[in-house]
Amino acid sequence: MERIGLIGAGRAGTAVGAALAAAGHRLVGVTARSDASRDRAARLLPAVPVLPADEVTARADVVLVAVPDDLIREVAQTLPLTSGQYVVHLSGAHGLSPFEGLAATPVALHPSMTFPGGLVRLDDVMFTATAPDAARPVVEQLVKSLGAQVQWVADEQRARYHAGLVHGANHLTTLVSQAVAVLREAGVADPVATLQPLLAATLDNTLRSGHHALTGPIARGDVDTVAAHLTALQVLRDRTAATYAELARATVEMVVANGRLDAETASRFTEVLDGHRAGVPGQDRTGETPR
């Protein structure tokens, strides 16, 4: 088992640190500057001493730099790392460049999980790693000790990898929030209860079956239904109509590519989407701003 030093006591760092400790690794120290960080460390890592960064680093085999993305490079450059150590960050967007020039072996290790601020179960979570070949056994041992999985991605593909996660997860929150607001505007008493079983089934089916899970008006070729939706959404004067229209365009292209929609119907969908100024909130279909 490794000696782990934790630089930063944010939500992700403390959750991963607590999971590593529970798996039998020794957490030799944690840094915590703010009151919130100290409170979080005391709650989730009660047996781990809060120490200055240089002391945490000196005690560790693996130094986990769990700070905001934009600070990883700055913080790592201040640490007294040696060639016998591993320095690891948890960012999805960054690869190994924040650790450039450091003596320690660099590792980018991102868990595909959200961290709300408490203990999080990481078994069966997929960690996506980037590291030199020599570091792979240590990385795999750390991840597998959590009961989790590890996959590898090239350094130059980290931004694309992270974009896929953000588009699927963060933008899902935006989409669902917009849908809840539309249902509320329509007078639905409990939008969340209305959406929950539909969304859960759709997500499950899509993860299992991909584009074959698609149902709804575009898959059926119901052009007039989509036109009616855009007209109804236009009056909301926010970004919902624009979001709907852009996702409808992407859906039409996907269904055409999969052979489920003929060219004539696809052209009619495009005409309907082009006929709405859905991309400009506050404008009517002629492009004029109502007075």
Side-chain angles (χ1 to χ4, degrees):
M1 292 297 178
E2 305 292 341
R3 295 178 299 170
I4 311 291
L6 183 57
I7 307 298
R11 291 182 294 180
T14 51
V16 172
L20 288 168
H25 298 282
R26 181 184 171 198
L27 264 68
V28 297
V30 59
T31 67
R33 298 179 61 182
S34 69
D35 290 341
S37 293
R38 285 190 288 271
D39 289 344
R40 190 179 297 111
R43 179 164 48 88
L44 299 182
L45 305 169
V48 181
V50 177
L51 301 169
D54 57 346
E55 291 188 39
V56 172
T57 302
R59 296 182 177 199
D61 302 311
V62 177
V63 180
L64 184 59
V65 182
V67 298
D69 287 7
D70 291 347
L71 297 178
I72 294 172
R73 181 189 299 273
E74 176 184 341
V75 170
Q77 296 296 327
T78 69
L79 302 176
L81 295 158
T82 68
S83 60
Q85 295 175 304
Y86 297 86
V87 59
V88 183
H89 70 65
L90 299 175
S91 170
H94 289 302
L96 303 181
S97 61
F99 296 147
E100 188 175 1
L102 298 178
T105 301
V107 177
L109 185 63
H110 181 248
S112 299
M113 174 55 66
T114 183
F115 297 96
L119 294 174
V120 175
R121 291 188 61 180
L122 296 177
D123 50 311
D124 294 329
V125 168
M126 179 65 76
F127 282 73
T128 301
T130 302
D133 289 345
R136 289 195 174 204
V138 171
V139 173
E140 290 177 350
Q141 183 263 330
L142 281 174
V143 173
K144 290 178 180 179
S145 72
L146 300 174
Q149 304 176 66
V150 62
Q151 63 184 356
W152 298 89
V153 67
D155 194 46
E156 64 271 18
Q157 296 296 339
R158 295 289 296 195
R160 183 174 294 174
Y161 153 75
H162 194 239
L165 293 184
V166 169
H167 191 44
N170 297 165
H171 296 169
L172 179 61
T173 298
T174 303
L175 179 62
V176 173
S177 296
Q178 287 184 347
V180 168
V182 170
L183 291 176
R184 189 171 288 117
E185 287 283 341
V188 174
D190 194 340
V192 173
T194 304
L195 281 170
Q196 197 279 331
L198 175 62
L199 293 179
T202 300
L203 179 58
D204 181 63
N205 290 339
T206 302
L207 290 174
R208 286 189 292 106
S209 304
H211 63 81
H212 297 292
L214 182 69
T215 61
I218 292 178
R220 293 192 299 266
D222 294 337
V223 179
D224 290 344
T225 299
V226 171
H229 291 172
L230 287 168
T231 299
L233 294 174
Q234 203 75 33
V235 300
L236 298 180
R237 304 190 186 285
D238 61 11
R239 287 284 176 187
T240 303
T243 305
Y244 183 105
E246 191 60 30
L247 289 174
R249 289 181 193 277
T251 304
V252 169
E253 292 175 2
M254 182 179 72
V255 175
V256 169
N258 296 332
R260 297 175 61 186
L261 198 65
D262 61 85
E264 180 182 353
T265 305
S267 178
R268 291 176 58 210
F269 272 122
T270 300
E271 183 179 353
V272 166
L273 293 168
D274 288 346
H276 284 75
R277 298 287 295 178
V280 184
Q283 290 189 345
D284 64 20
R285 292 180 60 181
T286 67
E288 297 293 329
T289 301
R291 299 182 183 278

